[in-house]
């Protein structure tokens, strides 16, 4: 066995392994010394390095965990003895119906098999799963797939591969098998935490989700921030809803929100909510150049218009109705936090600045302009804008001067 300071020095940056932990049984290390590890990727990295340090001839290990995610059915972490850090891959929905999945060991393990072993060094062993031929070509001599059972009864998947001439010994297989209950428990804890973070991000947004996880969960708790506010809405949506089947309406909205999300997120904005056929997003004004932050909101709006025009060309090609929208931009102080009932909360922004952005979006619909900005946005942003005059706004005593960016065409131009 190889232990000691020399080996610790060779471990990847960020490893939790110490000279003392290298002497611990893997189960004890998992239970008592892996608490500071916050990801399955780091856990697999340190566990595999610990096993190797204690004489386990690992060439490769992979772990597949099913997950609840709008885009993925699971995630895979693959450790190799030739890489300092494992790779992590998201497995997209629909993989279960693919031929590669059906021809893999995964369904066999998911259906209750206790383990699958193939001694690849034996010429007579059938290579009945395509992955085995690949592993054998890479020098693998033995392959074992095992189930990881979570506390809810769901079965996940882990594999171990060696390139030792005689494969895994009976003792080594016993060690790996004995790891499974503790390893499953440890990974389940990590995955539940990651699932919570991902779902909060998906449903609340990155910053709002982080704040909720950090304890901003009391009704009425909020803070005042200054932000550029973007309010957008699909034009003619009510008529389209009456004329189109439900599935086409859902497809239209998904197209629209996908287009809007990309430039908003790339420009540092955060979508707080989808409201029917509309959305509310903010671009917090940081302590740096406020003009840059305000400009980011205007640029995101213009880029969304360009993307929408491209998507409409595709929709027209396939006989689908095009999407037109109206978008209002303003900047101001907003209350950012929790509102709602004792049992149902919404993490959002409220305040006069939000109301004005909403009114500007409505005015954009009336005037037929896809993007309208307030005078405050116009004065802060660096992009050139043109005045559209002063217009009355419902709820305000005095008319408001509004502007539109140059070079913005309709989404069907």
């Amino acid at each position: 066995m190889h232990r000691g300071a020399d080996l610790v020095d060779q471990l990847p940056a960020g490893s939790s392994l110490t000279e003392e932990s290298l002497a611990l049984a893997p189960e004890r290390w998992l239970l008592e010394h892996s608490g500071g590890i916050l990801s399955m990727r780091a856990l697999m990295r340190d566990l595999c390095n610990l096993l190797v340090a204690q004489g386990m001839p690992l060439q490769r290990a992979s772990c597949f965990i099913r997950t609840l995610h709008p885009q993925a059915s699971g995630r895979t972490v693959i450790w190799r003895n030739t890489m300092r850090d494992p790779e992590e891959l998201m497995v997209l929905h629909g993989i279960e119906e693919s031929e590669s999945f059906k021809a893999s060991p995964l369904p066999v393990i998911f259906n209750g098999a206790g383990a699958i072993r193939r001694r690849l060094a034996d010429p007579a062993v059938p290579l009945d799963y395509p992955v085995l031929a690949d592993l054998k070509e890479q020098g693998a001599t033995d392959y074992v797939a095992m189930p990881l059972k979570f506390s809810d009864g769901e079965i996940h998947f882990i594999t171990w591969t060696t390139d030792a001439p005689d494969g895994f010994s009976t003792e080594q297989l016993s060690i790996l098998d004995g790891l499974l209950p503790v390893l499953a428990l440890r990974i389940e804890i990590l995955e539940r935490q990651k699932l919570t973070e991902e779902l909060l991000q998906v449903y609340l947004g990155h910053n709002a989700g982080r704040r909720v996880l950090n304890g901003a969960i009391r009704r009425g708790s909020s803070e005042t921030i200054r932000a550029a506010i973007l309010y957008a809405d699909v034009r003619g949506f009510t008529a389209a809803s009456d004329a189109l089947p439900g599935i086409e309406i859902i497809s239209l909205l998904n197209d629209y929100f996908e287009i809007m999300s990309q430039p908003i997120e790339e420009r540092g904005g955060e979508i707080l909510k989808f409201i029917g056929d509309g959305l509310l997003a903010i671009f917090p004004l940081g302590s740096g150049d406020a003009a840059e932050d305000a400009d980011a909101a205007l640029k995101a709006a213009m880029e969304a218009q360009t993307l929408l025009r491209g998507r409409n060309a595709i929709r027209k090609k396939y006989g689908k109705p095009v999407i037109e929208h109206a978008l209002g931009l303003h900047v101001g102080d907003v209350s950012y936090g929790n509102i709602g009932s004792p049992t149902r909360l919404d993490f959002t922004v409220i305040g006069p600045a939000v109301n004005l952005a909403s009114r500007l979006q409505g005015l954009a619909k009336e005037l037929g302009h896809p993007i309208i900005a307030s005078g405050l946005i116009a004065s802060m942003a660096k992009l050139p804008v043109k005045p559209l005059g002063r217009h009355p706004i419902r709820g305000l005593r005095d008319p408001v001067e509004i502007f539109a960016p140059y070079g913005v065409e309709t989404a069907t131009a």
Side-chain angles (χ1 to χ4, degrees):
M1 296 186 183
H2 302 284
R3 296 188 178 92
D6 290 343
L7 182 58
V8 171
D9 291 340
Q10 298 172 21
L11 293 174
S15 174
S16 68
L17 294 177
T18 63
E19 186 174 352
E20 292 73 25
S21 65
L22 291 175
L24 298 174
E27 297 95 325
R28 183 178 174 187
W29 176 81
L30 281 167
L31 284 171
E32 300 178 8
H33 294 266
S34 67
I37 295 176
L38 302 179
S39 71
M40 186 172 76
R41 183 178 179 183
L43 184 72
M44 286 294 292
R45 177 198 65 199
D46 285 359
L47 174 61
C48 290
N49 283 323
L50 174 65
L51 289 168
V52 169
Q54 296 185 354
M56 183 70 67
L58 283 182
Q59 178 201 37
R60 180 184 185 272
S62 70
C63 186
F64 175 83
I65 303 298
R66 295 166 165 178
T67 189
L68 184 64
H69 190 280
Q71 295 175 320
S73 62
R75 80 179 86 251
T76 297
V77 169
I78 303 173
W79 175 91
R80 295 181 178 87
N81 61 5
T82 56
M83 299 175 63
R84 290 182 65 83
D85 279 305
E87 59 179 321
E88 182 171 338
L89 307 170
M90 296 298 290
V91 181
L92 299 180
H93 286 298
I95 187 68
E96 299 88 350
E97 304 304 319
S98 69
E99 292 304 317
S100 61
F101 178 88
K102 294 175 182 178
S104 76
L106 282 163
V108 181
I109 294 294
F110 290 160
N111 288 330
I116 298 172
R117 184 184 186 187
R118 295 292 184 267
R119 296 176 179 268
L120 301 178
D122 183 351
V125 167
L127 303 179
D128 45 352
Y129 302 108
V131 67
L132 298 178
D134 295 337
L135 292 173
K136 186 171 183 177
E137 186 176 335
Q138 296 166 19
T141 57
D142 207 348
Y143 168 89
V144 183
M146 298 175 170
L148 283 173
K149 297 180 181 178
F150 281 10
S151 60
D152 59 2
E154 190 169 47
I155 297 175
H156 306 267
F157 181 88
I158 192 164
T159 72
W160 312 96
T161 304
T162 183
D163 54 4
D166 297 324
F168 290 116
S169 68
T170 302
E171 180 185 0
Q172 289 163 350
L173 289 176
S174 178
I175 291 172
L176 295 176
D177 185 66
L179 277 176
L180 297 183
V182 179
L183 181 58
L185 177 62
R186 190 68 187 87
I187 290 178
E188 182 175 1
I189 293 171
L190 291 174
E191 286 301 296
R192 292 289 183 257
Q193 174 68 17
K194 189 172 184 66
L195 174 63
T196 300
E197 293 174 359
E198 289 180 342
L199 290 182
L200 281 174
Q201 180 174 336
V202 167
Y203 283 94
L204 296 181
H206 178 75
N207 189 48
R210 178 180 56 79
R211 288 171 181 250
V212 169
L213 274 179
N214 288 340
I217 58 174
R218 295 183 59 188
R219 184 170 65 144
S221 65
S222 66
E223 65 174 297
T224 299
I225 65 171
R226 191 160 182 80
I229 304 138
L230 184 154
Y231 215 111
D233 196 35
V234 175
R235 294 173 59 184
F237 183 75
T238 301
S241 297
D242 290 338
L244 297 174
I247 191 169
E248 287 201 31
I249 288 295
I250 295 298
S251 174
L252 182 150
L253 287 178
N254 283 337
D255 266 4
Y256 178 62
F257 291 142
E258 178 182 340
I259 286 164
M260 293 299 300
S261 298
Q262 180 181 334
I264 289 173
E265 292 171 354
E266 288 179 352
R267 292 288 180 183
E270 181 168 16
I271 296 174
L272 294 180
K273 61 174 65 181
F274 297 111
I275 313 161
D277 60 313
L279 66 86
L280 170 64
I282 60 171
F283 295 76
L285 304 189
S287 57
D289 189 346
E292 287 285 354
D293 297 322
D295 216 38
L298 191 54
K299 286 178 178 177
M302 296 179 68
E303 289 165 0
Q305 189 70 11
T306 300
L307 291 172
L308 187 57
R309 192 161 59 248
R311 183 64 60 91
N312 277 337
I314 297 173
R315 291 182 65 86
K316 283 198 291 187
K317 179 180 178 181
Y318 289 97
K320 296 182 178 182
V322 298
I323 306 169
E324 291 282 2
H325 74 162
L327 193 153
L329 290 163
H330 184 46
V331 66
D333 293 334
V334 295
S335 294
Y336 185 39
N338 286 295
I339 62 169
S341 74
T343 57
R344 179 66 173 87
L345 295 174
D346 187 16
F347 204 99
T348 187
V349 289
I350 57 173
V354 180
N355 297 338
L356 181 53
S358 174
R359 299 284 190 269
L360 291 177
Q361 174 269 319
L363 182 60
K365 277 188 177 182
E366 295 176 18
L367 299 178
H369 280 276
I371 301 172
I372 281 183
S374 69
L376 194 50
I377 280 277
S379 66
M380 295 176 67
K382 298 177 181 179
L383 289 176
V385 293
K386 57 186 176 183
L388 298 180
R390 301 180 71 85
H391 293 262
I393 299 292
R394 181 165 56 91
L396 296 183
R397 184 182 61 184
D398 298 322
V400 172
E401 188 172 14
I402 61 172
F403 297 81
Y406 281 102
V408 175
E409 303 176 37
T410 66
T412 54

